[in-house]
Amino acid sequence: MNPTDHDHDPTTTPESGPESTRESGTPAAGTPAVSAGELATVHPLRTRSDQQQSTPESVPVVSDSPVIEGEIVTDEEWALLTDQRARRDARIAGYKSDLTALSRKTVSVAKSGTGLAKSKGGPVMRFTRRHVVIIAKGAEAERQRRKAEKAQTDARAARRAALEKGELDRVAELNSQITEQRRTAAEAAKLRFELYWEVGKKTALVLVILLGVAVVAGIVNGFGGWFGNWNLTDVLRTIGTVFTAGAAVVTWSVLHAWLFGLAGIGVWSYRRWKDGKALGEFVLPENLRANAAAKVAYVELSESVIIAALANIGISKLNEHIKAGWPHRDTDNPWVRPPMLAEGGKGYTAKLRLPLGASVLKINQAKDLLAHNLGCRPQELFLDPDENDPTVLDLFRLEPGVLREPVQAYPLLTDGSTDFFKGLPVGVSPRGAVVFTTVFERNFAVAGTMGSGKSTLVKALAASAALDPLCDIDVFVFADNYDYDPLAPALSTFLKGDKEENVHACLEHIKTLHADLAVRGQLLAKHQVTEVNREVAAKEPGLRPRLVIIEECQSFFRQGTPKERKELIDWVVRFYSAARKYGIVLVFVTPNPSDASLPRDLVAVTSNKACGAIDDKTRNNIVLGDKAHENGISALGLRPKTEEALFDCGTLMTKGFMNTPGLVRAFYLTAADLTAIGQRAAEMRGGATAATEAPKPQVRDLIEDLATVMVGDEPVNAGDLVGALRNLAPGYKPYKALNKAKLVALLREEHGLKIPSTDNLYPVDPVTVRQLNAGRVALRAQDDDQPE
């Protein structure tokens, strides 16, 4: 309180003596001030009116001096109020204390799983670990990107590939590119440094000039005051203020550098978090993924859906790349074509470049599992290598139910013709494109359980061939049905029925065609061509292309003894392989694809294979090739028609019909459709032609043949006669099955000849045979001369 001079102190009582007054610092009323040598001058203190005693004698005291309020502080507290360093130290200590308390509380909450962790819906530690891992993965991806840019990884990989291919010009070009890029980077760094240096110099020069101008202006204006009441002192004071403010900003920035550090770390962490987030959930450990329990559903195809599906098909190399961030890293560039709706809206398509160790073939081997992950049937998913880059997976997924929609109408139902040498339309692909399969120099094997639609495909093939007037068609059906009867006017040969003579007739027909190959070869030499073409076939009737269809071919191959069957298969395979060059194409069709019904040796040289709904992978692989099912070429998921629904009838897995193996949905032609096509085809050939019957089975006269081969009058052993008969008619099946015992039995039992068993040689008398043959000839002549 400020002391004031007054005549007396109203608060001093008469009982207060000099000691009391001295202790309180207030002299008694009327006491004169003592000299300075004895004691300090004592002045009476005023008291506030609200502190005066409530006595009648109290007199209000009024003061003109200001009242100062305050509080008593310690030396440490005073230092905090006046010393900036002490204030900074106190702040840092406070921050450390707060951080320590927060970290202890966080660890406690995370470990106990109570409090904040539960109130927010999940463990804090898992949340922290998840995002720390995301940031770490993003940082690694950024490091890899910078490393790839600095090391020019793409250019070096291209140079290595060119070197492996022996493209030395390309290698030299890439070497120059790598060197030029290094030089460009060095020049860019130099230019940046020079730019910064020039900007710094010019900025400093401008500041010096401005400072000089300001000083001169201050000096000049100090004499005349033309620009106001200011002079050099004011200019210097302003400059000092600017420098002081700058120093204050610098000082504050230094003292708060941790704030800038935290801001920089925050920005960097956020950018790395975004980079890590872009890598997808599969870079995280499984227990930290957000969608670890995702459901399988048929959803719109997207990049994340495809990668999630690929990550769960069990290919270890692919999983390693996905966990490392593929395909979201900047250095990957995997999407050749991002997922999009295919033309026509019947499916989704995408093209994805696969990483090292994960080929399209391996993806195809896991097709069933990938289809499950994408929420579709295996038959609705198509995985093919790209035509231009085998490392690119061309993925196509059909919409549900598209495979069982009605097939579009046959394009040549009412008009138009075909060209045997350019290919024939047989159906449509799952993507809706018409499939024109190559026929010339090809052969076919078609199988599938009953109701699978195999005959639907073959009838479409036959109808298309019929619309080429140059093409001759032979049909053998070892069953009684009405499948090919409507096409009969356009067929060159048509035989049906499961009879032994029909099988022999078919065999004889093929033998005739086999013998005709020599004639066709001579005609090719005549026209100086190496293979049949349309121009030559139009000029030379002997070179007309021919399509031979054998339905229910199990009846054709299941005959005779195992040895005879093997000989038949060997012979058919030789003809099968040779006939293609001469324009003869064979089609074998069976519902039971086994080695007995569709020999493996035959399938091995077959170019076009088709399999409808089938029961097991062994039969699937018999038709489509070894390990076809394991490689994703399978018809096991197809269902044959039933009384309730058609299901996948007419849809067949094919190999050789298109550029890559895949499903073909055969054109469905009714009997009326086939009738109309058959009539048109007959008109194109110059009128309906009655289908010629197949050659009848050959029947030979044993006695007549014996008389032919037995020369002289000396008896001939039965064993020698068997060999002579086989040489006389090499293709005659009864002679091929003949042996010495059978020949002797035939001559004794059927013809009444007495043949001795001399030394087990069974000699046959040629004179007796000739006499018997002469009698038979005379008897036939007598029968012919009798009138009917």
Side-chain angles (χ1 to χ4, degrees):
M1 304 292 292
N2 291 332
T4 57
D5 294 336
H6 297 280
D7 293 337
H8 65 277
D9 185 358
T11 62
T12 304
T13 62
E15 291 79 7
S16 301
E19 293 80 4
S20 176
T21 304
R22 193 176 296 117
E23 290 175 0
S24 62
T26 306
T31 304
V34 298
S35 62
E38 296 178 3
L39 291 173
T41 304
V42 178
H43 299 277
L45 299 175
R46 284 296 302 271
T47 59
R48 293 167 51 187
S49 59
D50 58 355
Q51 293 178 348
Q52 296 179 22
Q53 297 181 0
S54 301
T55 60
E57 294 81 4
S58 299
V59 179
V61 179
V62 180
S63 174
D64 296 334
S65 303
V67 178
I68 299 176
E69 295 184 358
E71 60 177 324
I72 299 175
V73 296
T74 63
D75 293 339
E76 292 79 5
E77 292 174 333
W78 177 252
L80 291 176
L81 294 173
T82 59
D83 190 349
Q84 290 187 0
R85 187 182 298 275
R87 292 168 67 184
R88 184 198 64 185
D89 294 341
R91 283 196 303 272
I92 293 175
Y95 295 149
K96 288 182 178 179
S97 177
D98 293 343
L99 288 174
T100 302
L102 178 61
S103 62
R104 289 176 179 174
K105 181 63 177 176
T106 301
V107 172
S108 175
V109 168
K111 287 183 178 179
S112 64
T114 59
L116 179 63
K118 284 189 175 180
S119 67
K120 293 297 182 181
V124 172
M125 186 60 72
R126 180 182 180 279
F127 175 85
T128 304
R129 286 179 55 206
R130 169 181 165 81
H131 290 280
V132 167
V133 172
I134 290 176
I135 293 172
K137 292 294 184 180
E140 176 62 18
E142 177 66 11
R143 187 187 71 83
Q144 292 288 353
R145 185 187 67 80
R146 292 180 179 273
K147 179 181 178 182
E149 288 181 355
K150 184 177 180 180
Q152 304 182 55
T153 306
D154 294 342
R156 293 179 183 274
R159 182 179 64 180
R160 185 163 52 252
L163 189 60
E164 291 175 356
K165 295 179 180 179
E167 300 175 354
L168 299 183
D169 293 341
R170 178 64 175 164
V171 172
E173 180 183 349
L174 290 170
N175 283 334
S176 302
Q177 179 181 334
I178 293 172
T179 304
E180 180 65 20
Q181 189 169 349
R182 285 179 177 175
R183 188 181 64 80
T184 302
E187 290 182 353
K190 179 182 177 182
L191 291 175
R192 281 195 298 271
F193 175 78
E194 292 177 351
L195 176 63
Y196 298 152
W197 178 253
E198 290 296 325
V199 170
K201 286 197 305 181
K202 292 180 179 180
T203 302
L205 180 61
V206 170
L207 291 177
V208 170
I209 293 174
L210 291 176
L211 182 60
V213 171
V215 170
V216 172
I219 294 174
V220 173
N221 195 61
F223 290 104
W226 298 284
F227 304 105
N229 189 19
W230 54 273
N231 55 23
L232 178 61
T233 303
D234 297 315
V235 172
L236 295 177
R237 186 181 295 111
T238 302
I239 295 174
T241 302
V242 171
F243 277 107
T244 302
V249 170
V250 172
T251 302
W252 186 92
S253 300
V254 172
L255 294 176
H256 297 79
W258 57 274
L259 283 176
F260 297 102
L262 286 178
I265 292 173
V267 172
W268 179 87
S269 299
Y270 176 69
R271 290 179 176 175
R272 300 294 78 78
W273 180 86
K274 287 180 64 178
D275 294 338
K277 196 69 174 175
L279 296 177
E281 292 290 326
F282 292 96
V283 299
L284 303 176
E286 189 171 354
N287 62 324
L288 298 180
R289 297 174 187 171
N291 57 348
K295 296 180 180 179
V296 174
Y298 196 95
V299 296
E300 180 179 343
L301 210 63
S302 64
E303 295 180 5
S304 59
V305 168
I306 293 177
I307 301 307
L310 290 173
N312 290 279
I313 58 176
I315 299 179
S316 58
K317 286 289 185 180
L318 183 60
N319 290 343
E320 290 177 7
H321 286 287
I322 292 176
K323 289 179 179 179
W326 180 89
H328 304 291
R329 298 169 297 192
D330 291 340
T331 55
D332 291 323
N333 298 322
W335 294 105
V336 177
R337 181 172 64 208
M340 62 180 64
L341 197 63
E343 184 178 355
K346 293 184 179 293
Y348 282 88
T349 179
K351 286 188 178 182
L352 176 65
R353 181 172 287 104
L354 297 173
L356 295 176
S359 64
V360 177
L361 178 61
K362 286 192 175 182
I363 303 295
N364 244 321
Q365 291 172 348
K367 180 178 179 179
D368 289 355
L369 191 55
L370 181 59
H372 168 76
N373 294 344
L374 292 175
C376 64
R377 300 165 59 210
Q379 291 74 34
E380 296 171 334
L381 183 65
F382 304 91
L383 308 169
D384 302 311
D386 184 67
E387 295 180 358
N388 301 320
D389 188 350
T391 67
V392 173
L393 169 66
D394 186 354
L395 184 148
F396 183 82
R397 189 192 71 177
L398 282 175
E399 290 293 274
V402 171
L403 275 181
R404 292 176 179 174
E405 293 179 353
V407 181
Q408 64 192 61
Y410 182 63
L412 304 176
L413 187 59
T414 57
D415 57 6
S417 60
T418 60
D419 187 340
F420 180 92
F421 296 93
K422 292 183 178 179
L424 304 177
V426 294
V428 297
S429 70
R431 306 189 189 198
V434 176
V435 175
F436 284 84
T437 185
T438 303
V439 181
F440 178 57
E441 292 191 324
R442 300 291 184 95
N443 40 44
F444 294 75
V446 184
T449 188
M450 286 185 246
S452 63
K454 58 185 180 299
S455 294
T456 303
L457 176 69
V458 179
K459 285 190 289 185
L461 177 66
S464 297
L467 292 176
D468 184 351
L470 278 182
C471 182
D472 296 328
I473 305 172
D474 303 323
V475 176
F476 297 87
V477 183
F478 300 127
D480 290 308
N481 55 41
Y482 191 68
D483 284 349
Y484 296 92
D485 292 71
L487 287 176
L491 301 180
S492 300
T493 305
F494 180 44
L495 190 65
K496 68 177 183 177
D498 188 12
K499 301 176 183 178
E500 183 71 20
E501 55 266 28
N502 290 344
V503 175
H504 287 299
C506 178
L507 182 59
E508 291 296 326
H509 182 67
I510 294 179
K511 287 181 177 179
T512 303
L513 294 179
H514 195 183
D516 187 52
L517 295 183
V519 178
R520 287 179 174 252
Q522 294 173 1
L523 292 176
L524 290 177
K526 171 185 174 182
H527 292 277
Q528 298 180 350
V529 292
T530 58
E531 59 186 24
V532 181
N533 56 55
R534 189 168 191 86
E535 181 181 357
V536 173
K539 296 177 181 178
E540 189 65 65
L543 290 176
R544 289 168 62 93
R546 198 171 202 96
L547 183 69
V548 182
I549 298 174
I550 304 176
E551 278 261 15
E552 308 294 335
C553 66
Q554 65 274 9
S555 298
F556 182 79
F557 291 108
R558 289 177 179 267
Q559 56 177 312
T561 64
K563 181 180 179 182
E564 292 174 343
R565 180 176 179 275
K566 186 177 184 307
E567 292 175 354
L568 172 65
I569 292 172
D570 292 342
W571 175 76
V572 171
V573 168
R574 289 196 302 272
F575 170 67
Y576 194 59
S577 303
R580 294 179 300 173
K581 180 179 179 181
Y582 300 97
I584 300 177
V585 176
L586 275 72
V587 182
F588 291 97
V589 188
T590 180
N592 182 24
S594 62
D595 188 53
S597 302
L598 194 63
R600 289 183 179 271
D601 290 344
L602 186 73
V603 175
V605 294
T606 300
S607 60
N608 291 36
K609 309 168 186 177
C611 184
I614 203 71
D615 297 330
D616 59 81
K617 70 175 184 179
T618 301
R619 297 179 185 276
N620 179 88
N621 292 351
I622 288 175
V623 182
L624 299 175
D626 290 340
K627 295 186 178 180
H629 174 74
E630 291 78 0
N631 293 330
I633 308 172
S634 177
L636 262 65
L638 299 175
R639 296 180 62 184
K641 70 176 180 180
T642 63
E643 294 181 358
E644 292 78 19
L646 290 175
F647 291 112
D648 299 308
C649 180
T651 300
L652 296 90
M653 177 61 71
T654 65
K655 191 175 181 181
F657 281 72
M658 301 178 289
N659 293 334
T660 57
L663 292 178
V664 171
R665 306 184 66 207
F667 289 120
Y668 177 69
L669 295 169
T670 64
D673 296 335
L674 290 173
T675 300
I677 292 174
Q679 293 174 353
R680 282 173 49 212
E683 293 174 0
M684 294 169 68
R685 286 166 171 76
T689 57
T692 59
E693 293 185 0
K696 294 182 178 180
Q698 183 181 16
V699 178
R700 303 187 68 89
D701 190 324
L702 176 62
I703 299 300
E704 184 179 348
D705 288 344
L706 284 174
T708 302
V709 298
M710 298 179 75
V711 181
D713 296 333
E714 296 295 328
V716 181
N717 295 333
D720 296 336
L721 287 176
V722 170
L725 289 172
R726 289 179 179 175
N727 291 332
L728 178 65
Y732 189 50
K733 186 175 180 180
Y735 288 171
K736 293 174 67 176
L738 198 63
N739 55 32
K740 181 171 66 175
K742 289 183 178 180
L743 176 61
V744 172
L746 285 173
L747 293 177
R748 286 176 175 176
E749 296 172 4
E750 294 187 11
H751 300 286
L753 295 181
K754 296 181 180 180
I755 302 174
S757 59
T758 306
D759 297 330
N760 201 30
L761 296 176
Y762 297 97
V764 179
D765 183 16
V767 176
T768 306
V769 171
R770 292 190 194 105
Q771 291 175 351
L772 179 60
N773 183 52
R776 290 158 60 91
V777 171
L779 185 60
R780 284 197 296 269
Q782 183 180 355
D783 293 339
D784 293 339
D785 292 339
Q786 291 180 357
E788 296 181 359

